[in-house]
Amino acid sequence: MEQQFRNDRIFVAGAWRQGRGAEITSSFAAEGTDNTVVSGASAADVDEAIEKARAAQANPAWRGLKPQDRATYLYKISDGITANIERIAWVQCRDTSKTLTETRALAASAAATFRYFGAVLETSDDVLTVPRGAYQTMSVHEPLGVVAAITPWNSPIASDAQKVAPALAAGNAVVLKPASWSPLVSLELARIIEEAGLPTGLFSVLPGSGREVGNRLVAHPDISKVSFTGGTSTGRHLARVAAEKLMPVSLELGGKSPTIVFEDCDEDLAIAGILFGIFSSSGQSCIAGSRLFVQRSIYDRFVARLVAATERLRVGHPFDADTQVSSLVHPDHRLTVEDYVAKGLEDGGEVLTGGERPDAPNLATGAYFAPTIISGLNNKARICREEIFGPVLVVLPFDDEEDVIAQANDNDYGLACGVWSKDYPKSLRVGAAIRAGTVWINTYKQFSISTPFGGDGDSGLGREKGRDGLRAYQRQKSFYTDLSGQPHPWARWPARG
Ligand code: NAD
């Protein structure tokens, strides 16, 4: 399984070269070691990548390519990812400390994303609109230009693919900036895209800081859209810059998603789904079901069973196929999670399980944190309101439908929601009443590239995935063509008599 790191330079418009920015150290937090040092991009590198992207995008060889021919590139990239799944999974595991089982699934999903958007491109129609006069009207879709894709560290290959695939399918060029904690997988993607023969200049990968590389990318006058996944405060900043430029922006931001357990649920299904919803990826997931509401009539028994199930989870090394909960991405991130747990205790919370680093000696050098459940808090407590992005679940009781809808919606985020009940009409009713872009009923954290995804409120703006995911990277142009052959009557021309 052990492989070599092969990408330590930036990828600027077809050239692998040293960046002019600060170097980035990629580390393997599960072992407390460094992977490799990657060259970082500078603002000047951003300018160069954008200039070349702009030229490549404007070239009729790309802009004028027929959909079925452009789709061929997406299929080749998909095949390239599939052929390299083990390598990508290993690199992403080393970069993020997610389990290999999970990173394999993420790589497979990235391959599916490229294939899907190739197919969407081939099957998308422009439309003749209904004429309301003696003219023909049609509306066609055009690419936007150069898209800046900015991604976080938690699922890099999947979030990269979710942006790069539709943006290329739509006929744009893309400059991708990965997060500093996870630069390696995006560089692997560059390698695959290069091997797929995508015309030079259409794709660049610029690892670097948000402050230098990110800010320059977003502010650059030749960037036509920013597609961002990351934290809410960064997203809000980008939206301000975008407002100044009147530039479209899509924002996939944080979450504090409620999971609701009604007394009539199948408890075993609910427990399995809740464990997966909060503790897979060690809770480092925007859609983590991090606030659990349990109906009061079953609260004590259900929470006791959930705690027992949590204590059976296997915390371990990400290469181990039995591991369910791996290390956090970085020791600094573990400090943030620990700080949140301390705040929960200050506010009167009680740790039902976890709440500390695991004591197994073989995990001592890694950034592990035990799956944690905290009760006894009010929904207004800081750890019930703010995103922790770690393996920490808060549990709260509720009385009835009205009560749980009010509590679940009493939060600034609106990303996802889980409902566990055998009463389907009730589940739908509650799901409809909760502010969330995605509702899971008797399941959690299921994903499909053909189903739109995104958040409301502090969880973001816009939707990714689905057939309309392509449209997010295009603008519409409408044509009116006269069919009457008559001069416009208003002009009274040519003059008669
Ligand atoms: P982050 O906001 O710190 O960084 C995200 C990306 O933005 C990184 O590449 C970073 O370098 C860049 N960036 C930072 N400052 C910038 C600036 N001023 N200009 C331009 N770019 C800048 O987030 P993170 O810590 O990497 O990721 C965790 C966050 O991402 C969590 O809040 C999580 O919920 C969110 N997330 C959301 C989704 C979703 O689909 N809604 C998915 C995954 C993660």
Side-chain angles (χ1 to χ4, degrees):
M1 182 73 233
E2 206 59 22
Q3 312 208 25
Q4 296 295 312
F5 298 105
R6 58 179 186 176
N7 300 311
D8 58 1
R9 288 167 296 160
I10 64 174
F11 183 66
V12 185
W16 290 94
R17 64 162 177 75
Q18 287 298 119
R20 288 166 278 188
E23 287 183 333
I24 297 166
T25 301
S26 153
S27 61
F28 189 28
E31 293 184 355
T33 53
D34 288 343
N35 291 320
T36 185
V37 174
V38 176
S39 166
S42 68
D45 294 323
V46 173
D47 290 351
E48 183 186 335
I50 294 174
E51 191 188 324
K52 291 185 170 156
R54 194 171 165 223
Q57 198 276 327
N59 189 332
W62 178 247
R63 233 190 122 88
L65 209 54
K66 293 279 173 280
Q68 68 275 22
D69 297 326
R70 200 181 302 139
T72 306
Y73 289 109
L74 284 113
Y75 299 142
K76 280 189 189 153
I77 297 168
S78 174
D79 290 345
I81 294 173
T82 304
N84 286 283
I85 276 193
E86 283 305 310
R87 173 159 188 85
I88 293 170
W90 179 80
V91 168
Q92 181 154 322
C93 175
R94 292 290 300 247
D95 228 2
T96 63
S97 290
K98 281 191 159 193
T99 63
L100 267 181
T101 315
E102 230 177 294
T103 55
R104 278 191 192 109
L106 288 168
S109 87
T113 299
F114 276 94
R115 185 154 292 280
Y116 177 81
F117 278 109
V120 169
L121 173 61
E122 286 206 72
T123 56
S124 284
D125 293 323
D126 286 324
V127 289
L128 279 178
T129 56
V130 178
R132 298 179 72 93
Y135 42 80
Q136 185 194 59
T137 45
M138 66 176 179
S139 191
V140 301
H141 293 86
E142 296 184 338
L144 296 171
V146 184
V147 171
I150 302 179
T151 51
W153 45 262
N154 60 325
S155 303
I157 189 70
S159 24
D160 291 357
Q162 256 163 248
K163 299 180 185 316
V164 176
L168 288 179
N172 301 287
V174 182
V175 180
L176 170 66
K177 193 203 92 59
S180 297
W181 279 346
S182 60
L184 296 176
V185 116
S186 306
L187 293 168
E188 283 296 327
L189 181 62
R191 198 56 84 178
I192 287 164
I193 290 183
E194 185 185 31
E195 283 161 12
L198 188 78
T200 304
L202 288 170
F203 185 61
S204 292
V205 177
L206 303 182
S209 71
R211 188 176 297 273
E212 182 171 3
V213 176
N215 274 335
R216 181 64 188 156
L217 253 181
V218 175
H220 197 288
D222 288 333
I223 288 294
S224 306
K225 169 166 181 150
V226 171
S227 180
F228 172 78
T229 298
T232 299
S233 60
T234 315
R236 201 166 259 128
H237 163 71
L238 301 191
R240 280 192 208 103
V241 179
E244 206 47 54
K245 288 173 69 181
L246 290 180
M247 168 181 68
V249 60
S250 65
L251 303 172
E252 298 285 354
L253 308 178
K256 191 74 189 178
S257 300
T259 297
I260 298 166
V261 175
F262 282 104
E263 61 190 2
D264 61 1
C265 73
D266 179 318
E267 291 189 17
D268 286 322
L269 294 188
I271 287 171
I274 291 163
L275 293 178
F276 179 65
I278 179 64
F279 297 128
S280 60
S281 308
S282 304
Q284 300 165 116
S285 168
C286 55
I287 47 174
S290 51
R291 280 189 301 156
L292 179 64
F293 295 97
V294 182
Q295 195 150 20
R296 207 177 294 276
S297 50
I298 61 164
Y299 182 88
D300 288 341
R301 185 189 66 242
F302 186 87
V303 173
R305 293 190 69 203
L306 182 66
V307 167
T310 302
E311 288 171 351
R312 289 168 53 95
L313 292 174
R314 292 284 297 265
V315 180
H317 194 282
F319 289 172
D320 183 343
D322 287 335
T323 293
Q324 291 163 288
V325 181
S326 179
S327 163
L328 296 174
V329 66
H330 197 277
D332 289 354
H333 186 54
R334 179 170 63 180
L335 292 176
T336 307
V337 171
E338 287 175 333
D339 190 43
Y340 268 116
V341 171
K343 282 180 185 156
L345 298 184
E346 266 169 38
D347 289 346
E350 181 194 352
V351 172
L352 301 182
T353 185
E356 57 194 7
R357 302 175 183 191
D359 51 16
N362 61 327
L363 305 181
T365 54
Y368 294 87
F369 195 74
T372 298
I373 300 181
I374 298 181
S375 70
L377 288 166
N378 179 296
N379 192 30
K380 304 269 183 223
R382 286 169 290 182
I383 68 163
C384 297
R385 306 199 75 77
E386 295 172 25
E387 183 183 48
I388 301 175
F389 223 57
V392 180
L393 177 68
V394 285
V395 286
L396 301 134
F398 72 89
D399 292 316
D400 54 23
E401 233 176 284
E402 193 186 347
D403 176 29
V404 78
I405 290 169
Q407 290 200 64
N409 280 339
D410 183 15
N411 195 280
D412 294 333
Y413 290 110
L415 194 56
C417 165
V419 182
W420 295 90
S421 164
K422 288 183 189 150
D423 182 339
Y424 183 56
K426 177 170 72 181
S427 305
L428 277 184
R429 199 165 58 232
V430 171
I434 303 288
R435 184 168 71 156
T438 299
V439 176
W440 284 290
I441 296 174
N442 293 331
T443 183
Y444 203 87
K445 235 174 147 181
Q446 293 293 325
F447 262 127
S448 149
I449 185 60
S450 48
T451 307
F453 175 78
D456 299 333
D458 276 10
S459 293
L461 278 180
R463 296 290 181 266
E464 290 189 323
K465 304 186 177 181
R467 291 184 63 80
D468 288 345
L470 182 74
R471 300 306 190 203
Y473 294 93
Q474 293 175 319
R475 62 169 72 88
Q476 276 183 292
K477 181 178 279 180
S478 298
F479 287 81
Y480 289 69
T481 307
D482 178 72
L483 298 178
S484 73
Q486 299 298 316
H488 200 290
W490 182 89
R492 297 180 195 155
W493 184 264
R496 289 178 220 283

